[in-house]
Amino acid sequence: MKKIRLSLFLLFAGVSFSLRAQNNHQSKGFLATTPTKPVSFFEPGQIWRDNNSVPINAHGGGIMYYKNTYYWYGEHKIAGAIGNTGQVGVHVYSSSDLYNWIDEGIALAVNSTDPRSEIAKGCILERPKVIYNKKTKKFVMWFHLELLNKGYDEARSGIAISDKPNGPFVFVRSVRPNMEQWPLNVQDFHKKTVSKDIKKHYCGGYGCLGGDVDSLNILGRDFKQGQMARDMNLFVDDDGKAYHIYASEENSTLHIAQLSDDYLSYSGKYIRLFQNRYMEAPTMFKTSNGKYYMLASDCTGWEPNAARSAVADHIFGPWKELGNPCVGKDSEYTFRSQGTFILPVQGKKDTYIYMGDRWNPQNPIDGRYIWLPLNILDGHLTLKWKDSWNLTDLKF
């Protein structure tokens, strides 16, 4: 995403501070001062502090609600460009009101002692999401994973599990989705010869393949090893079935895959959608009238772009694009953010919060959070900027 001007708080280059983290994992970050005074409003783009007066460190994150408590999981960043890699792990915070957050420490730590580990320190660990399995009574975390020193070419999904919402989570394995499984909407040509005219390394963004994704047949190319999965999200439907939504086929196409009953693998049912549209950062939610909505972005690296939205009557489609939901100044850049999660507010029917990140790749620990009310008007999503707001501003 687009570079952000650093706050005066961080202009003292080279100065590092100790940041509290569970299991003695340390990182370079902000200086804790005095306990934070309780607040009752959101200020998008401003520094957001936890109960220790330390800026919240949960980027690319998502929220799970469990026993009257919200748990916010996200990438723990450190100062400098190295912070774009996994140097610490996944941070978790808890809250009863969404405004004030308690630091619960590191939910999943990267492995700092074994460089052969799939989650070795320095790997790329992005967009962690956690869901609760009522049958197994386990908390299951999925995330986009790139192995150490492999760039973005591996395109794997990491899985971890815990008995408690705040962890610690134990890494189970990483996978490429749906190995030797065809999607429900597979075409005959996908099962034929695979084009040799495919680039060798990740480039991302529209046009990087040098041709239409179906003419190159990326789906068929990855059939035996499993499909690619980068930017991702999780969604649990009313019937308890869980779904993994991820950018696949060299980021050209989204997949929605139903998970197994224990949420630890795949059921074998999945679809391709928005082929050749190069959509990433997918988010999903469902309204009380049974409509499924999705928010995603274009593939422009760290640079912001116009958000995309879509709707469906069934999770496996057909899906219909609805255009950019943002209205007003900077709407063509999603208010200089990229979506990471759509949060249903408990106790408020059909009320949702857009959660986005304002990335800062030169100093990722100073990336800011953009939370805004997400409304539905005449079947379309609408997102407007607010400098300050609270839950009373949410409405259907």
Side-chain angles (χ1 to χ4, degrees):
M1 302 300 288
K2 188 176 181 180
K3 296 180 182 177
I4 310 168
R5 181 176 299 175
L6 300 182
S7 67
L8 293 176
F9 192 75
L10 281 175
L11 285 180
F12 301 102
V15 179
S16 63
F17 304 105
S18 173
L19 179 64
R20 186 179 79 85
Q22 183 177 324
N23 298 328
N24 294 320
H25 289 278
Q26 299 297 315
S27 65
K28 295 178 181 179
F30 298 89
L31 179 64
T33 54
T34 57
T36 303
K37 295 181 180 179
V39 297
S40 58
F41 54 88
F42 305 103
E43 292 184 299
Q46 302 301 311
I47 291 177
W48 195 350
R49 299 181 184 276
D50 65 17
N51 60 306
N52 298 312
S53 199
V54 175
I56 294 171
N57 200 336
H59 308 268
I63 288 180
M64 180 196 65
Y65 185 76
Y66 178 74
K67 290 188 176 180
N68 300 317
T69 301
Y70 295 94
Y71 292 89
W72 181 359
Y73 307 86
E75 306 162 31
H76 182 108
K77 301 292 191 182
I78 68 170
I82 194 174
N84 295 307
T85 63
Q87 297 295 311
V88 178
V90 177
H91 212 132
V92 58
Y93 298 82
S94 65
S95 175
S96 60
D97 62 9
L98 294 176
Y99 306 112
N100 303 280
W101 293 90
I102 297 171
D103 183 1
E104 299 282 355
I106 302 303
L108 174 69
V110 297
N111 192 318
S112 60
T113 60
D114 184 3
R116 297 168 299 178
S117 169
E118 290 188 302
I119 56 168
K121 182 178 179 179
C123 69
I124 295 174
L125 193 164
E126 297 178 333
R127 298 183 177 270
K129 304 294 185 289
V130 174
I131 51 180
Y132 177 63
N133 191 302
K134 293 181 180 179
K135 293 181 179 179
T136 65
K137 302 189 185 306
K138 299 290 185 181
F139 299 89
V140 181
M141 177 189 295
W142 285 68
F143 49 89
H144 166 215
L145 176 66
E146 302 287 350
L147 305 182
L148 182 64
N149 299 324
K150 296 289 186 178
Y152 275 86
D153 290 335
E154 291 292 312
R156 303 184 70 83
S157 297
I159 307 164
I161 193 168
S162 176
D163 293 324
K164 299 186 297 182
N166 57 352
F169 282 76
V170 176
F171 178 69
V172 178
R173 65 182 178 280
S174 74
V175 297
R176 286 284 290 266
N178 294 299
M179 182 175 64
E180 297 187 336
Q181 296 284 341
W182 292 114
L184 298 176
N185 54 349
V186 64
Q187 302 295 314
D188 289 341
F189 59 78
H190 289 132
K191 301 179 181 181
K192 296 180 179 180
T193 304
V194 177
S195 171
K196 296 180 180 179
D197 185 24
I198 301 175
K199 56 92 181 171
K200 295 182 179 179
H201 298 289
Y202 170 77
C203 60
Y206 181 76
C208 78
L209 290 179
D212 183 276
V213 63
D214 281 338
S215 67
L216 297 173
N217 195 8
I218 306 299
L219 182 76
R221 180 199 69 179
D222 293 339
F223 176 73
K224 289 188 179 297
Q225 65 179 327
Q227 300 301 320
M228 310 181 92
R230 293 195 176 103
D231 277 12
M232 58 136 283
N233 225 307
L234 297 176
F235 171 77
V236 179
D237 212 337
D238 301 332
D239 59 4
K241 294 187 184 300
Y243 297 84
H244 186 206
I245 307 104
Y246 53 91
S248 192
E249 301 179 47
E250 303 290 358
N251 277 13
S252 70
T253 302
L254 287 182
H255 289 187
I256 299 177
Q258 183 181 313
L259 298 181
S260 58
D261 287 344
D262 61 7
Y263 301 170
L264 296 176
S265 61
Y266 295 94
S267 70
K269 295 181 180 180
Y270 72 105
I271 62 162
R272 308 168 68 233
L273 67 160
F274 308 128
Q275 296 90 330
N276 221 52
R277 287 287 284 133
Y278 288 85
M279 295 170 72
E280 63 179 7
T283 64
M284 183 186 292
F285 68 99
K286 184 181 182 181
T287 60
S288 61
N289 65 358
K291 294 285 187 181
Y292 297 84
Y293 285 92
M294 184 182 297
L295 225 63
S297 79
D298 195 357
C299 291
T300 54
W302 297 111
E303 298 292 328
N305 55 67
R308 300 173 180 180
S309 61
V311 66
D313 292 323
H314 189 278
I315 195 165
F316 282 154
W319 284 84
K320 176 185 177 182
E321 284 200 58
L322 300 174
N324 183 2
C326 301
V327 178
K329 182 180 178 181
D330 279 343
S331 61
E332 69 273 28
Y333 301 113
T334 317
F335 313 116
R336 294 188 293 127
S337 74
Q338 185 182 40
T340 184
F341 197 73
I342 303 300
L343 172 64
V345 178
Q346 298 298 314
K348 291 181 174 288
K349 181 182 177 180
D350 289 324
T351 54
Y352 309 94
I353 295 175
Y354 163 84
M355 293 174 53
D357 287 281
R358 187 172 284 176
W359 300 111
N360 183 356
Q362 270 59 53
N363 198 46
I365 196 173
D366 193 37
R368 304 297 175 84
Y369 309 108
I370 306 298
W371 285 27
L372 292 169
L374 181 64
N375 294 318
I376 305 173
L377 300 174
D378 297 325
H380 287 68
L381 302 182
T382 303
L383 194 63
K384 296 181 179 180
W385 178 261
K386 289 180 175 289
D387 289 326
S388 179
W389 65 281
N390 60 31
L391 295 177
T392 60
D393 294 308
L394 287 169
K395 60 183 179 180
F396 180 67

